[in-house]
């Protein structure tokens, strides 16, 4: 039997940074032109980073706070995001077709929050994704969950379809209630997603050892915002993640549940694209908030 503990506890990660071999997206230098072009709609070519606005939560949570009206609450924010992550239903009904943000479509689904969330299936046909001009498809991967094997098979099938059509795949590491959220687990979950062919991986930030997660994953890692935090705390998390090797953030609740979503989005952009320190980004948030309130 393989020495799993030894593999998981290895420490020769060589730092958080990795070369991109002439292309601005980590691990994508050998991809076809079309897939590279789509990745360039998500990650800015000048720095290889992204601010993704996530509002796909309704696919299992319904109309949660801040997402009651996507057309009025979310659509005005889209011009200031590099990419947007949503369902095809939300895209068709609520997002203006002149939007230039990279489109990341939720491609997995099935259970609601009332059921076991790991019981997912592929819920989007690749032809519809191409029809919608998607840059990437997002799929949940439940490493350690009850339906782990199926979720990994779903990811592999979606990667096969994406490679045929030049569409990137974003593997989202899901964490069950009973799982430990630490670097050891996220090294496992992110690496499996990348090994199965995901072009991007979305995961959570951890205070201890996050640089080992980014260093051991051969494709870009973007950090999930998670539950709503005070603005300074969310900006601090984003800053630390970027300094420790993340290629961007994919925030939802920490933006659309803020009292001033547009101001928060501007502050997050400052952290990701300008390396603004959390305190400076928070001051920008306060200035933009005051302007919004007046």
């Amino acid at each position: 039997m393989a020495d799993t503990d030894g593999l998981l506890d290895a420490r020769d990660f060589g730092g958080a940074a990795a070369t991109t071999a002439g292309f601005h997206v980590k691990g994508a230098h050998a991809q076809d032109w079309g897939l590279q072009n789509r990745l360039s709609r998500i990650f800015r070519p000048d720095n290889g980073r992204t601010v993704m606005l996530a509002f796909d939560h309704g696919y299992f949570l319904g109309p949660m706070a801040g997402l009651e009206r996507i057309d009025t609450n979310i659509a005005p924010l889209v011009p200031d995001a590099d990419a947007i992550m949503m369902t095809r239903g939300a895209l068709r009904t609520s997002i203006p077709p002149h939007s230039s943000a990279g489109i990341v479509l939720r491609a997995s689904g099935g259970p609601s929050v009332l059921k076991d969330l790991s019981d997912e299936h592929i819920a989007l046909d690749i032809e519809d994704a191409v029809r919608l001009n998607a840059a990437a498809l997002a799929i949940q991967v439940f490493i350690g969950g009850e339906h782990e094997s199926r979720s990994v098979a779903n990811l592999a099938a979606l990667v096969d379809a994406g490679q045929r059509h030049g569409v990137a795949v974003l593997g989202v590491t899901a964490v069950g209630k009973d799982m430990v959220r630490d670097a050891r687990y996220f090294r496992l979950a992110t690496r499996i997603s990348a090994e199965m062919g995901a072009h991007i991986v979305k995961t959570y930030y951890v205070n201890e050892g996050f640089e080992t997660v980014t260093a051991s994953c051969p494709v870009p890692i973007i950090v999930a915002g998670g539950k709503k935090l005070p603005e300074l705390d969310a900006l601090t998390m984003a800053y630390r993640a970027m300094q420790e090797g993340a290629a961007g953030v994919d925030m939802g609740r920490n933006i659309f549940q803020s009292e001033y979503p547009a101001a928060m989005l501007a502050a997050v952009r400052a952290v990701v694209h300008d390396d603004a320190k959390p305190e400076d980004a928070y001051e920008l948030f306060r200035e933009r908030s005051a302007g919004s309130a007046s």
Side-chain angles (χ1 to χ4, degrees):
M1 188 172 181
D3 183 9
T4 320
D5 287 336
L7 290 173
L8 289 174
D9 290 336
R11 285 286 176 238
D12 187 14
F13 293 101
T19 61
T20 55
F23 186 63
H24 64 280
V25 179
K26 182 181 178 183
H29 59 280
Q31 295 292 348
D32 294 331
W33 189 95
L35 203 150
Q36 288 186 339
N37 178 263
R38 285 185 168 91
L39 288 170
S40 296
R41 298 183 210 162
I42 299 172
F43 298 95
R44 270 181 29 179
D46 62 334
N47 62 12
R49 296 180 174 185
T50 188
V51 173
M52 191 180 295
L53 176 62
F55 50 97
D56 60 326
H57 308 65
Y59 93 97
F60 70 99
L61 281 172
M64 67 181 297
L67 294 183
E68 298 90 347
R69 288 285 304 275
I70 294 174
D71 57 339
T72 58
N73 296 346
I74 300 297
L77 301 174
V78 170
D80 292 321
D82 299 311
I84 52 177
M85 180 174 169
M86 82 247 83
T87 63
R88 57 179 164 178
L91 178 65
R92 282 192 165 108
T93 60
S94 307
I95 304 302
H98 59 259
S99 301
S100 60
I103 302 299
V104 181
L105 290 181
R106 167 62 63 175
S108 62
S112 74
V113 70
L114 304 177
K115 299 288 186 178
D116 177 9
L117 293 179
S118 73
D119 189 18
E120 282 198 343
H121 301 267
I122 294 177
L124 174 70
D125 187 85
I126 189 66
E127 291 185 2
D128 205 28
V130 173
R131 188 178 297 115
L132 289 168
N133 200 28
L137 305 176
I139 186 166
Q140 214 80 359
V141 183
F142 295 87
I143 301 302
E146 181 178 351
H147 299 281
E148 173 188 82
S149 293
R150 185 203 298 158
S151 73
V152 173
N154 288 341
L155 169 63
L158 198 64
V159 168
D160 287 340
Q163 290 290 162
R164 285 195 299 271
H165 294 270
V167 180
V169 171
L170 167 63
V172 183
T173 63
V175 182
K177 295 178 181 178
D178 299 326
M179 296 179 192
V180 177
R181 296 192 180 200
D182 60 11
R184 187 181 190 217
Y185 172 79
F186 289 123
R187 289 197 301 270
L188 175 67
T190 59
R191 183 60 174 263
I192 288 176
S193 297
E195 296 271 357
M196 296 305 296
H199 307 94
I200 316 163
V201 177
K202 174 180 174 179
T203 196
Y204 292 92
Y205 177 76
V206 290
N207 289 319
E208 297 290 334
F210 183 72
E211 70 281 357
T212 69
V213 179
T214 57
S216 61
C217 185
V219 299
I221 283 183
I222 57 175
V223 172
K227 295 180 180 180
K228 176 68 175 72
L229 300 171
E231 280 76 9
L232 181 56
D233 291 348
L235 294 169
T236 300
M237 178 185 69
Y239 178 79
R240 289 176 178 169
M242 296 304 299
Q243 297 304 304
E244 294 171 26
V249 299
D250 184 21
M251 283 195 174
R253 284 167 283 189
N254 280 295
I255 292 175
F256 62 71
Q257 288 184 349
S258 172
E259 187 176 359
Y260 300 101
M264 186 58 179
L265 181 52
V268 172
R269 287 189 65 85
V271 168
V272 172
H273 290 306
D274 302 326
D275 287 318
K277 289 188 165 48
E279 297 77 12
D280 296 329
Y282 184 64
E283 185 59 32
L284 174 63
F285 167 75
R286 288 168 55 87
E287 291 172 3
R288 296 289 182 93
S289 300
S292 302
S294 60

